[in-house]
Amino acid sequence: MSQLIKPARLLLLGAPGSGKGTQTTRLLKQFPAISSVSSGDLLRKEISSKTQLGLLASGYIQEGKLIPDELIINLLTSYLSNNKWLTPKSTWLLDGFPRTQNQAKVLDSTLDKFNSKLNLVVELNVPEEVILERIENRFVHVPSGRVYNLQYNPPKILGKDDITGEPLTKRPDDNIEVFAKRLQEYKVTMGPLKDYYENQGILKVVSGETSDIIFPKLKELIVNKFD
Ligand code: G5P
Ligand code: MG
């Protein structure tokens, strides 16, 4: 476990299955002061609770399309505000939001109002051929967002969450057809988003075929910047 001296406000970018959720879990263990939120996890909870937003979002997700900016921006900015993350000293990590340049601009203007700023954006760069197999073997625990992979990090009991013992499920968007669409969406939206953060001088890229290779590089970036 390590402590960070400066407030860290991080964003993890990466293709579907690149390991954003996996790296988030590891970072939280290493740096307990960091709080995290995944936009995909929030949406899956809305779907499981059958809210109006969940019903709307589920159609987009099942087709591998992005949720309209306005809906996701409202969901995430409410989350930041409700959890009191909109302060200059808070330390947090975003997984999967912002995902378009427009979302990034709106987030920046929200943070500006609170004298806060995103200060490190890291892209996880994993070869495409490696991630398809991961997705097909993924199981999730929706209430917590915990992710498993039958080879890489299998649950202790097949089909059950390690902590709660509740059932694990497959994501409806984890199949070859939808995955191809999600990857395509990623390729279209990532260029402008990365340009935006590159212009701010806060974008870094870490590459590797496995999460074990990527994690030490990610940790080093964080320690160098915030310790
Ligand atoms: P999500 O939920 O944000 P994606 O597509 O961005 O979904 P995803 O699929 O959740 O990303 P990840 O978090 O990057 O992938 O990857 P992960 O879950 O950690 O790892 C994938 C699998 O690989 C796991 O089973 C893990 O155990 C395993 N694994 C990890 N490392 C290794 C390794 O080294 N080796 C092996 N063998 N396995 C490994 O978004 C879902 C949808 O929500 C909407 C969109 O419709 C989106 O498609 N959405 C938004 N729409 C608009 N704007 C936004 N901001 C939105 N955010 C979400
Ligand atoms: Mg994820």
Side-chain angles (χ1 to χ4, degrees):
M1 274 201 278
S2 319
Q3 285 206 320
L4 296 173
I5 293 167
K6 300 173 200 147
R9 286 179 293 275
L10 310 160
L11 165 64
L12 288 187
L13 300 178
S18 57
K20 300 178 294 294
T22 303
Q23 299 296 348
T24 300
T25 304
R26 291 192 181 190
L27 286 174
L28 263 47
K29 274 191 196 140
Q30 186 74 40
F31 305 105
I34 301 181
S35 310
S36 77
V37 64
S38 146
S39 51
D41 286 352
L42 286 187
L43 289 168
R44 282 182 283 279
K45 278 184 209 158
E46 295 284 326
I47 293 170
S48 137
S49 307
K50 299 193 168 52
T51 64
Q52 206 180 350
L53 171 61
L55 291 173
L56 206 62
S58 114
Y60 289 95
I61 291 181
Q62 285 184 30
E63 288 185 27
K65 291 182 182 158
L66 292 183
I67 308 300
D69 279 351
E70 196 190 318
L71 295 180
I72 198 85
I73 287 168
N74 283 342
L75 180 68
L76 266 292
T77 49
S78 306
Y79 184 93
L80 296 180
S81 166
N82 292 341
N83 287 279
K84 307 203 171 14
W85 288 13
L86 294 172
T87 73
K89 293 215 166 139
S90 57
T91 277
W92 39 253
L93 181 156
L94 305 177
D95 159 1
F97 174 87
R99 205 179 279 225
T100 63
Q101 198 184 85
N102 181 41
Q103 292 175 17
K105 287 181 177 165
V106 176
L107 175 67
D108 275 358
S109 66
T110 305
L111 292 175
D112 272 352
K113 289 184 203 143
F114 295 89
N115 284 325
S116 182
K117 215 172 174 6
L118 207 56
N119 44 24
L120 181 62
V121 176
V122 184
E123 184 196 11
L124 310 180
N125 178 28
V126 181
E128 214 172 292
E129 58 277 14
V130 173
I131 49 189
L132 178 58
E133 197 190 317
R134 294 182 180 183
I135 291 279
E136 289 189 304
N137 286 312
R138 173 163 57 186
F139 285 84
V140 294
H141 178 243
V142 171
S144 67
R146 277 186 284 279
V147 286
Y148 299 88
N149 174 283
L150 295 182
Q151 276 88 42
Y152 180 68
N153 60 332
K156 288 178 191 140
I157 300 170
L158 197 65
K160 306 262 191 216
D161 177 49
D162 284 353
I163 310 285
T164 62
E166 289 168 349
L168 301 177
T169 49
K170 285 281 308 163
R171 280 172 45 170
D173 54 347
D174 275 353
N175 58 66
I176 295 178
E177 296 75 32
V178 181
F179 180 77
K181 290 187 193 151
R182 288 161 60 197
L183 205 53
Q184 188 54 28
E185 279 274 17
Y186 178 76
K187 288 177 182 164
V188 171
T189 50
M190 257 327 106
L193 185 61
K194 281 169 61 179
D195 289 347
Y196 179 75
Y197 289 126
E198 188 131 45
N199 287 336
Q200 293 186 13
I202 57 171
L203 178 71
K204 301 280 179 196
V205 180
V206 286
S207 303
E209 292 207 352
T210 70
S211 291
D212 294 348
I213 293 174
I214 286 187
F215 182 69
K217 300 183 189 178
L218 182 58
K219 188 179 146 193
E220 193 185 347
L221 278 179
I222 293 174
V223 169
N224 286 345
K225 180 132 188 170
F226 302 108
D227 212 356

